[in-house]
């Protein structure tokens, strides 16, 4: 299949994308491997779910006892607010429930909760979920859902792609631990990068090769090569998990060669005219490939944003980001520290090497250089 990024979905406000169970399992297990008790005695809120279909709800319900949860809360957005292009059909699950209300089925969101062995069969799982209608439509910004946020210890979900900035701000406002899915390019947002630089947020364990497969009612809109008719899935590239939960891969240092060895043996370096050149407007060198970061260079280096997937806070310090839309928010002292020089081809903070503007760069330096 061909692949696309999330920009098309974001711009079209097509936000109904359901994460695969095995992707959720792989990601959450990375945190459990690092700390088996990370969720023990805690409450998890899944605020952007459709609990009848969501694999997030299924995963945490099925593993409720093994990970030691205290409570699981899952909420959905009202059908009328999703702007379905095809007719909505009430599920048998909802219609057969004693609390079914025809006047609320499309106007109100739903809340599912799990706390105990409701059926009395000696185990707590997805069959013990209880549900009712929310008073409102289930918007995460509503007072009703904010109250649930404040009750929870963790926020875990695949939020609406078109509302990623607002959703992250909502989490930060509540001062919660979280695991959420987003586009790698979100790193460039002024609401996001400062959190990464201050070590308040980082990338999670990750999807395989940065590619994620989602099911969606909008699948066929993405065309042949993106939508796989056999699997019913849509493929997106450059997708990642953002989190403030620790995991082991985050502390694995990159194995790097010296600058001299890169020049001798790294084919990417040999074929690039810009690598290790000094920027014309920053006191730093250009390193366009993560695997070309020299182990023995003690100064500032500009690296691609994909570096964050391999970033270890014990190995590197992140100083700042240079791109076409973030310089205005950069503190003057940071720009001065980078030796920033006004350049005629600089349209807002991008780095320039050999007279050309580069892609977005993150400025880093080895931690050992400051010891």
């Amino acid at each position: 299949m061909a692949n696309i990024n999330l920009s098309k979905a974001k711009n079209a406000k097509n936000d109904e994308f359901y994460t695969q169970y095995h992707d959720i399992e792989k990601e959450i297990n990375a945190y459990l491997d690092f700390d088996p008790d990370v969720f023990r005695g805690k409450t998890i809120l899944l605020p952007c779910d459709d609990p009848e279909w969501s694999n997030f709800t299924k995963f945490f319900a099925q593993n409720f006892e093994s990970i030691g949860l205290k409570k699981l809360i899952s909420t959905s957005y009202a059908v009328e607010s999703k702007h379905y292009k095809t007719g909505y059909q009430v599920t048998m699950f909802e219609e057969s429930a004693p609390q079914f209300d025809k006047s609320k089925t499309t106007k109100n969101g739903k809340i599912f909760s799990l706390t105990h062995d409701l059926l009395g069969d000696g185990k707590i799982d997805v069959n013990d979920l209880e549900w009712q209608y929310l008073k409102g439509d289930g918007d995460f910004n509503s007072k009703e859902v904010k109250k649930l946020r404040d009750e929870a210890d963790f926020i875990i979900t695949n939020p609406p792609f078109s509302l990623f900035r607002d959703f992250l701000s909502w989490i930060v406002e509540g001062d919660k631990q979280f695991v959420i899915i987003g586009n790698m390019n979100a790193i460039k947002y002024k609401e996001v990068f400062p959190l990464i630089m201050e070590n308040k947020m980082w990338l999670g364990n990750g999807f395989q090769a940065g590619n994620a497969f989602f099911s969606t009612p909008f699948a066929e809109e993405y065309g042949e090569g993106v939508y796989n008719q056999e699997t019913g899935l849509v493929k997106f590239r450059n997708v990642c998990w953002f989190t403030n939960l620790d995991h082991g891969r985050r502390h694995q240092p990159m194995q790097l060669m010296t600058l001299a060895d890169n020049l001798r043996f790294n084919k990417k370096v040999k074929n690039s005219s810009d690598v290790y050149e000094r920027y014309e407007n920053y006191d730093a060198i250009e390193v366009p490939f993560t695997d070309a970061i020299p182990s023995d260079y003690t100064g500032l280096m500009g690296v691609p944003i994909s570096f964050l997937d391999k970033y270890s806070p014990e190995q590197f310090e992140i100083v700042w980001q240079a791109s076409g839309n973030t310089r205005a928010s950069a503190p003057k002292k940071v720009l001065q520290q980078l030796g920033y020089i006004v350049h005629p081809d600089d349209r807002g903070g991008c780095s320039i090497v050999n007279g050309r503007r580069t892609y977005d760069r993150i400025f880093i330096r080895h931690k050992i250089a400051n010891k």
Side-chain angles (χ1 to χ4, degrees), residues 39-111:
F39 301 117
R40 191 165 302 281
K42 305 296 185 181
T43 296
I44 291 178
L45 172 64
L46 314 172
C48 300
D49 263 29
D50 190 333
E52 294 173 59
W53 310 104
S54 166
N55 285 315
F56 280 97
T57 300
K58 291 176 184 176
F59 173 81
F60 285 108
Q62 290 301 105
N63 293 279
F64 188 94
E65 291 183 290
S66 64
I67 63 179
L69 283 181
K70 173 185 176 182
K71 186 176 184 179
L72 176 65
I73 308 170
S74 182
T75 63
S76 69
Y77 205 31
V79 172
E80 283 192 358
S81 302
K82 295 179 181 179
H83 307 296
Y84 282 130
K85 296 183 179 180
T86 57
Y88 170 70
Q89 183 69 40
V90 181
T91 64
M92 288 182 63
F93 170 84
E94 181 181 354
E95 196 168 23
S96 63
Q99 65 268 42
F100 172 68
D101 188 328
K102 189 174 182 180
S103 67
K104 294 182 178 180
T105 184
T106 60
K107 299 180 183 297
N108 296 67
K110 300 186 190 75
I111 176 171

Side-chain angles (χ1 to χ4, degrees), residues 97-333:
Q99 65 268 42
F100 172 68
D101 188 328
K102 189 174 182 180
S103 67
K104 294 182 178 180
T105 184
T106 60
K107 299 180 183 297
N108 296 67
K110 300 186 190 75
I111 176 171
F112 285 61
S113 60
L114 180 61
T115 58
H116 63 286
D117 178 12
L118 180 67
L119 299 182
D121 57 3
K123 59 183 178 180
I124 304 175
D125 59 21
V126 69
N127 297 309
D128 297 302
L129 282 163
E130 302 176 81
W131 76 272
Q132 61 186 2
Y133 294 105
L134 291 165
K135 294 179 181 179
D137 65 3
D139 188 331
F140 65 85
N141 269 317
S142 67
K143 290 183 179 180
E144 189 175 21
V145 179
K146 279 186 177 180
K147 186 176 180 180
L148 296 173
R149 175 200 66 184
D150 295 342
E151 175 189 346
D153 300 292
F154 296 93
I155 309 295
I156 301 177
T157 195
N158 180 359
F161 297 149
S162 65
L163 299 174
F164 183 85
R165 298 176 196 240
D166 293 337
F167 188 76
L168 180 60
S169 296
W170 180 81
I171 291 176
V172 172
E173 177 188 64
D175 192 24
K176 299 298 176 180
Q177 291 188 283
F178 61 90
V179 184
I180 61 175
I181 295 173
N183 190 336
M184 177 72 80
N185 284 329
I187 290 168
K188 298 183 292 183
Y189 298 164
K190 64 181 180 181
E191 299 89 349
V192 174
F193 190 77
L195 296 174
I196 293 175
M197 189 175 70
E198 295 166 13
N199 209 28
K200 294 180 180 178
M201 183 175 80
W202 44 85
L203 298 194
N205 187 61
F207 292 95
Q208 182 65 36
N211 296 315
F213 297 83
F214 301 103
S215 59
T216 172
F218 304 107
E220 295 185 10
E221 295 183 18
Y222 292 95
E224 185 178 354
V226 172
Y227 168 52
N228 187 319
Q229 292 184 344
E230 293 182 6
T231 64
L233 301 177
V234 173
K235 179 181 180 180
F236 288 103
R237 61 180 173 83
N238 296 332
V239 179
C240 60
W241 297 81
F242 292 96
T243 187
N244 57 1
L245 274 66
D246 224 339
H247 57 89
R249 195 167 72 84
R250 180 171 175 256
H251 300 285
Q252 295 175 1
M254 283 186 282
Q255 300 301 309
L256 303 170
M257 292 191 291
T258 64
L259 192 149
D261 282 346
N262 269 290
L263 289 169
R264 288 182 62 194
F265 305 115
N266 192 325
K267 292 182 179 179
K268 292 180 181 178
V269 172
K270 289 182 178 181
N271 295 329
S272 173
S273 60
D274 294 339
V275 69
Y276 306 144
E277 290 291 314
R278 190 164 296 277
Y279 294 116
E280 295 175 33
N281 57 336
Y282 289 110
D283 186 16
I285 63 169
E286 162 76 343
V287 185
F289 318 107
T290 298
D291 60 3
I293 296 174
S295 62
D296 58 346
Y297 187 78
T298 60
L300 288 171
M301 298 171 280
V303 298
I305 61 175
S306 57
F307 154 82
L308 290 176
D309 193 43
K310 302 261 182 84
Y311 166 59
S312 168
E314 290 83 20
Q315 186 177 22
F316 293 102
E317 174 190 3
I318 297 175
V319 180
W320 195 250
Q321 175 200 2
S323 73
N325 60 3
T326 58
R327 195 197 79 198
S329 61
K332 288 184 179 179
K333 64 179 181 180

